Amino acid sequence: VLNPSSGSNAVASFFERVLKAQLVGRLTKLDKPEQLLSHMGQDIVDQVSALAPPEASPAGGSAELASRKDGQVQKLASKGMLGVRVWKKRYAVLTDETLHYFPSPTARDPKGVVMLEGVTVEYEHKKRKNSLALHLPEGGEVVYFSFASAQEAEEWKAAIEHHQKTHAVFAVPLQQHLHATGRLAGVPLLVDRCVSVILERGLEKEGVLRVPGSANRIQQLKKTFDLVGDAELSDERDVHTVVGLLKLYLRELPEPVVPSSSFSALVHALDGAES
């Protein structure tokens, strides 16, 4: 507030709003008028932060994040004292693991952080045009961001989903997955885990490839692999569930293990070998 470039009016405005906050607290008999005061004071802090010159970017803020994408956005804020949600300008910085949003490009501390693991991104047109809804995996919370154009919204959606695809296992092209996990000379870790269990405990099971496992457990294991890239299968009691997980992985590959372009040649080669 005492920044000379902001002028003395900012100081006068601040104290005027302090008095108003105290007055409102008395007139409405609020239990905690300091909450309203804090909300008003934060608006002043945001305004003053925006006045800092670009070259004075402090260490440890948005400038030091390993940004994959960054830019000016609008974020739908939480409900205030009056129960109203408003859109506020924020500077978003996307990294490999998180989405930080700052009051301004030069701010040191973020207003919030969204962990991208397990987040679902959808276009949202009801709240505001050119908006995205980030559905968090726990608690059902949704974070909304708005952009200047439909193209910007599309670019941000693609950037966030690219992060998730680098960690996903299911429904990812085989070559892309092996390259991302550094296993180009081998097989996917999921296949390795499943085959080890089958070889150890499944060869003597009747109908090991036919009898279905637990559908719920298979989905749980799939989610674990997609979130963290690995899951311990040696303790799975039902080998049919492990087989079901492997079969689901193979079914969801965008292209079969034997590519369509090579299928006819393979069948022809097998027919020739049999004859």
Side-chain angles (χ1 to χ4, degrees):
V1 172
L2 297 179
N3 187 332
S5 63
S6 67
S8 59
N9 288 338
V11 179
S13 174
F14 176 76
F15 285 106
E16 180 182 356
R17 297 176 80 175
V18 169
L19 294 175
K20 285 183 179 179
Q22 293 175 336
L23 179 60
V24 170
R26 292 194 184 101
L27 292 179
T28 59
K29 298 182 179 179
L30 293 174
D31 293 333
K32 294 183 178 180
E34 65 271 19
Q35 293 180 355
L36 181 59
L37 172 60
S38 175
H39 180 70
M40 290 181 169
Q42 186 58 53
D43 287 342
I44 295 293
V45 173
D46 291 348
Q47 294 172 25
V48 174
S49 297
L51 293 173
E55 61 271 15
S57 177
S62 61
E64 288 197 354
L65 290 174
S67 170
R68 300 302 178 195
K69 185 173 181 60
D70 58 85
Q72 201 75 47
V73 302
Q74 296 266 344
K75 180 187 177 294
L76 187 59
S78 303
K79 290 183 179 180
M81 293 294 294
L82 301 179
V84 179
R85 302 183 72 179
V86 296
W87 291 91
K88 292 189 175 183
K89 288 184 178 181
R90 294 289 181 252
Y91 190 81
V93 179
L94 179 68
T95 72
D96 282 338
E97 307 292 338
T98 59
L99 175 62
H100 292 69
Y101 48 95
F102 295 80
S104 70
T106 59
R108 179 181 181 85
D109 300 317
K111 295 290 291 184
V113 180
V114 177
M115 302 300 296
L116 296 180
E117 189 172 281
V119 167
T120 303
V121 188
E122 295 179 346
Y123 290 110
E124 172 59 57
H125 301 297
K126 293 182 180 179
K127 297 288 184 182
R128 201 179 201 185
K129 189 178 179 180
N130 304 326
S131 297
L132 295 178
L134 276 61
H135 298 265
L136 307 189
E138 297 181 2
E141 184 180 354
V142 184
V143 183
Y144 298 96
F145 290 96
S146 176
F147 306 88
S149 66
Q151 182 179 349
E152 277 195 27
E154 184 177 345
E155 290 174 354
W156 275 93
K157 184 175 186 292
I160 295 172
E161 290 179 338
H162 173 73
H163 155 84
Q164 295 171 317
K165 285 297 182 182
T166 60
H167 292 267
V169 174
F170 284 79
V172 177
L174 185 59
Q175 185 175 6
Q176 176 183 328
H177 174 66
L178 292 175
H179 185 273
T181 55
R183 298 175 66 89
L184 284 174
V187 299
L189 184 59
L190 178 144
V191 175
D192 199 2
R193 297 261 194 237
C194 290
V195 171
S196 295
V197 173
I198 295 170
L199 290 176
E200 182 180 349
R201 295 189 277 119
L203 295 182
E204 297 181 0
K205 289 277 187 180
E206 184 177 352
V208 65
L209 298 179
R210 175 176 50 83
V211 178
S214 168
N216 288 337
R217 183 58 181 158
I218 290 172
Q219 289 301 319
Q220 290 174 356
L221 291 170
K222 174 187 175 181
K223 184 175 182 180
T224 301
F225 270 100
D226 273 338
L227 288 177
V228 299
D230 191 13
E232 182 55 58
L233 300 181
S234 60
D235 295 333
E236 288 295 320
R237 296 181 179 179
D238 184 13
V239 69
H240 298 294
T241 296
V242 177
V243 174
L245 181 69
L246 177 59
K247 290 161 66 176
L248 178 63
Y249 171 75
L250 295 174
R251 280 199 307 271
E252 292 194 359
L253 282 173
E255 187 175 40
V257 176
V258 178
S260 302
S261 58
S262 304
F263 183 76
S264 297
L266 178 62
V267 170
H268 180 74
L270 291 175
D271 288 342
E274 289 180 358
S275 62

